[in-house]
Amino acid sequence: MGHWWVRNIVEPGKLPLLLALASFVLTFVVTRVITRLIRAGRGPFGNVQAGGVHIHHVVPGVVLTLAGGFGAVASDRHGAGGIVSAVLFGMGAGLVLDEFALILHLDDVYWSEEGRKSVEVVVVTAALVGLLLAGFAPFGVNDLSEDELADRGTVISNIAGNFLFSLVALSKGKARTAVFGVIVPLVALVGAVRLARPGSPWARRFYDRRPRARARAALRAYRHDRRWARPRRALQDWIGGKPDPRPARLPGHR
């Protein structure tokens, strides 16, 4: 175990990345636990107020992210400074992304339906950092043999091809597929060849005069959302807490 740790984590300089990921996930989990306790009126915790202004935890998150980021740039990743900076950066990123929806909407939507975006962003970020930590190289370069890696043309074609697949998947309205496709080439290819989601740039450009393609795309998106909406919402509620119910609309009001 010690040999594996040194060879795969310490020597390649991945210890700061591992600590940043661990502190990122731990900070998010602790923050969600505390906010849910505050929401339920349990425990000794409460909202932070300063002069009547509610201080969101994104504020200390930004401070920690800046301190950790600049500290990492100024320090050696194999030294103690790099380790401390990585932990600070992970903690700050966890606090900031926990309120990603607030930054996106410029409104306190933490316990609303829009607040689910924060959980989605945190999960995607943790997954991508985990893939990098596991040794995946972007654009599928890690799948090449030593002889192929020696051929620059092969490497460039792999990078360009997978980048193109990721862009196509993104234009088809499949942001998650495009992001993960940068790391795992097959994911980008699948997203690129499947039908685009309705309303995506690809659908507006290529399905405008193809009613059958529009109908197929709408039907597939409906079936996909119907199949996965409930499990996804249940997982988000388990991770981040169930959002507040939307207020009922009065007749004649929008």
Side-chain angles (χ1 to χ4, degrees):
M1 180 64 181
H3 176 72
W4 177 91
W5 173 263
V6 173
R7 183 176 180 83
N8 294 278
I9 300 297
V10 178
E11 287 184 356
K14 290 184 177 181
L15 182 57
L17 182 61
L18 175 62
L19 293 175
L21 176 60
S23 60
F24 170 76
V25 174
L26 182 60
T27 300
F28 170 74
V29 171
V30 171
T31 302
R32 282 284 165 169
V33 169
I34 292 176
T35 54
R36 292 172 74 167
L37 289 174
I38 294 174
R39 185 190 189 193
R42 300 176 181 177
F45 307 103
N47 292 321
V48 179
Q49 302 281 342
V53 178
H54 172 57
I55 306 298
H56 291 272
H57 49 267
V58 68
V59 176
V62 170
V63 175
L64 290 173
T65 302
L66 290 174
F70 284 117
V73 172
S75 61
D76 180 11
R77 63 178 180 174
H78 291 276
I83 293 176
V84 173
S85 298
V87 172
L88 293 177
F89 181 83
M91 293 173 60
L95 292 173
V96 170
L97 293 189
D98 184 54
E99 293 200 313
F100 172 81
L102 181 148
I103 301 173
L104 179 64
H105 295 278
L106 293 180
D107 192 12
D108 191 358
V109 294
Y110 194 84
W111 294 119
S112 68
E113 286 289 333
E114 291 80 3
R116 294 178 183 270
K117 294 184 178 66
S118 297
V119 178
E120 294 181 0
V121 169
V122 168
V123 171
V124 171
T125 301
L128 289 176
V129 176
L131 286 171
L132 293 175
L133 185 64
F136 286 87
F139 305 117
V141 176
N142 53 298
D143 295 328
L144 303 179
S145 65
E146 293 184 3
D147 293 336
E148 289 174 325
L149 286 172
D151 182 0
R152 292 188 178 183
T154 302
V155 175
I156 293 174
S157 62
N158 273 271
I159 293 175
N162 197 62
F163 184 66
L164 177 62
F165 290 146
S166 295
L167 286 180
V168 172
L170 183 62
S171 69
K172 288 188 172 184
K174 303 173 183 179
R176 298 184 188 90
T177 302
V179 171
F180 281 105
V182 173
I183 306 296
V184 185
L186 184 60
V187 174
L189 177 60
V190 172
V193 299
R194 292 177 65 86
L195 285 170
R197 291 188 63 86
S200 64
W202 185 281
R204 291 196 300 267
R205 175 64 178 84
F206 295 103
Y207 298 169
D208 187 43
R209 299 183 180 181
R210 298 170 58 193
R212 293 185 62 182
R214 289 202 310 271
R216 288 175 56 207
L219 180 60
R220 176 167 291 180
Y222 169 76
R223 289 176 175 174
H224 178 274
D225 294 343
R226 184 178 181 182
R227 177 184 302 171
W228 295 105
R230 183 172 295 180
R232 184 171 63 247
R233 289 169 65 91
L235 179 61
Q236 291 173 344
D237 290 347
W238 180 76
I239 295 175
K242 185 175 293 187
D244 294 328
R246 293 182 181 274
R249 294 181 178 180
L250 298 176
H253 288 258
R254 295 184 178 180

